[in-house]
Amino acid sequence: MNRKSKTKNKKTKRALVCGAGGFIGHHLVNRLRKEGFWVRGVDLKYPEFSKTSAHQFILGDLRDQKLCQRILDIPFDEVYQLAADMGGAGYIFSGEHDADVMHNSATINLNIAHYGTRVGIKKLFYSSSACIYPEYNQLDENNPKCSEESAYPAAPDSEYGWEKLFSERLFMAYRRNYGLNTKIARFHNIFGPEGTWRGGKEKAPAAVCRKVAEVKNAGRIELWGDGKQTRSFLYIDECLDGVRKLMNSKDFHGPANIGSDEMVNINQLAQIVIDLSGKKLTISHIKGPLGVRGRNSDNKLIYRKLKWKPKIPLKDGLEKTYKWISEQVDRTVRLIQ
Ligand code: NAD
């Protein structure tokens, strides 16, 4: 058999992406398509900024058991459970959405674990979060501790984090009791083009890019808190490299951090964006929801197990993101005029 016909005969793998209308899900669909998967996407909404490349896209509510049964009507090689009720600090830490966040995301996860087990998925990816780590290890902005085993004794600082921890445990229990092959990653602040950049659900990198893009030269931007709170931010392409490596690994299941260990404070993040814009801007600090004082991804475990670590500096990812967000801002201004 020659090489060409061998490739032709290879069975096409099928993937289901829950949350395919969201930021990471949309990029993941594109990535899986490039890798040759047949992809079904599901979400409450279509991707906001460009057309989905999924072969099939089902609009529906994953809290609905009937929908979950319907979307799992064929045996998938890989299922990615990314759907969640979530947003940036302004959404998660205000306290106003706690009940919805917990109820909506937990219901989706309960449904997917249950119906996924019934239909016999080969592998299931679950996107957990750095928000599961205990607040008591993240009080010092220069020395946060977020290694995987430090998750317990549990004390996340948000209900979003508690739900993620519950769902990690749910998927691990299905793995133990029903042999569901689960893979769990804890994402740390993923950013990039085509992410939410306004409306209250945007995260720090997108919010900062928008503020800088909207203001005229010699103007001023506002940051929440004193700006000395630390974080790390991972560019979307790198996140997907990590996810795919985890899914392809035979015997590593996580939970594993997928994040950058290039820690900066929010003032530094803003300064990088300001420098990229070429504008001269001042920063003022105002009250706002903040989250933990310091956080950084600890990548020792995932590097040891999968040899994965981020390759591109924060500045390079921000450059691409700022370019995309300033185009959105310009377009909006043109529409208003
Ligand atoms: P996102 O909000 O852009 O995507 C989530 C998607 O889930 C949305 O499109 C939303 O419509 C969909 N969804 C919510 N409720 C639904 C329902 N009931 N039925 C069907 N679809 C529903 O978020 P994202 O940034 O792409 O994040 C993807 C996953 O990664 C989430 O689980 C999130 O908690 C996790 N995560 C993301 C980050 C990050 O920095 N982006 C960090 C940690 C964890």
Side-chain angles (χ1 to χ4, degrees), residues 22-24 43 61-62 82 84 127-128 160 164 187 190 203:
F23 166 53
I24 301 174
D43 203 300
D61 190 334
L62 290 159
L82 304 172
S127 52
S128 182
Y160 168 78
K164 287 285 185 197
F187 290 158
I190 315 303
K203 312 247 179 52

Side-chain angles (χ1 to χ4, degrees), residues 18-25 42-45 60-63 67 81-87 104 108 126-131 160 164 186-191 196 201 203:
C18 301
F23 166 53
I24 301 174
V42 187
D43 203 300
L44 286 170
K45 60 174 179 69
D61 190 334
L62 290 159
R63 290 170 301 180
L67 177 87
Q81 191 343 54
L82 304 172
D85 189 355
M86 67 98 65
N104 295 341
I108 297 170
Y126 173 59
S127 52
S128 182
S129 164
C131 289
Y160 168 78
K164 287 285 185 197
R186 294 173 180 159
F187 290 158
H188 290 242
N189 294 315
I190 315 303
F191 75 100
T196 304
K201 282 196 165 187
K203 312 247 179 52

Side-chain angles (χ1 to χ4, degrees), residues 10-181:
K10 223 171 125 192
K11 205 174 149 273
T12 305
K13 283 193 177 172
R14 286 194 282 220
L16 172 69
V17 178
C18 301
F23 166 53
I24 301 174
H26 176 54
H27 284 281
L28 177 64
V29 169
N30 292 339
R31 173 69 176 257
L32 291 169
R33 284 257 3 211
K34 271 191 206 135
E35 289 188 29
F37 279 79
W38 182 91
V39 185
R40 174 183 286 171
V42 187
D43 203 300
L44 286 170
K45 60 174 179 69
Y46 289 111
E48 227 177 308
F49 307 107
S50 61
K51 216 171 158 278
T52 183
S53 62
H55 293 86
Q56 267 183 5
F57 195 99
I58 298 177
L59 273 186
D61 190 334
L62 290 159
R63 290 170 301 180
D64 175 0
Q65 296 191 358
K66 287 210 179 79
L67 177 87
C68 292
Q69 259 175 304
R70 183 156 77 85
I71 59 166
L72 284 161
D73 60 349
I74 46 173
F76 283 97
D77 297 278
E78 302 192 3
V79 172
Y80 293 83
Q81 191 343 54
L82 304 172
D85 189 355
M86 67 98 65
Y91 189 73
I92 287 170
F93 299 117
S94 70
E96 285 164 33
H97 311 284
D98 289 349
D100 286 346
V101 163
M102 296 187 92
H103 175 268
N104 295 341
S105 299
T107 308
I108 297 170
N109 291 322
L110 287 161
N111 284 345
I112 296 296
H114 178 68
Y115 291 106
T117 304
R118 275 195 176 180
V119 78
I121 296 167
K122 289 198 182 134
K123 277 184 229 172
L124 182 140
F125 174 85
Y126 173 59
S127 52
S128 182
S129 164
C131 289
I132 62 101
Y133 286 112
E135 186 173 19
Y136 59 76
N137 279 333
Q138 301 172 86
L139 299 174
D140 175 358
E141 67 261 26
N142 296 314
N143 204 16
K145 184 175 177 187
C146 292
S147 49
E148 285 80 352
E149 84 294 343
S150 72
Y152 296 96
D157 69 326
S158 66
E159 303 301 359
Y160 168 78
W162 278 106
E163 188 284 324
K164 287 285 185 197
L165 202 55
F166 163 78
S167 291
E168 280 190 6
R169 299 188 70 94
L170 171 80
F171 285 116
M172 289 193 286
Y174 267 80
R175 179 177 161 68
R176 270 196 317 277
N177 296 159
Y178 297 116
L180 183 63
N181 187 4

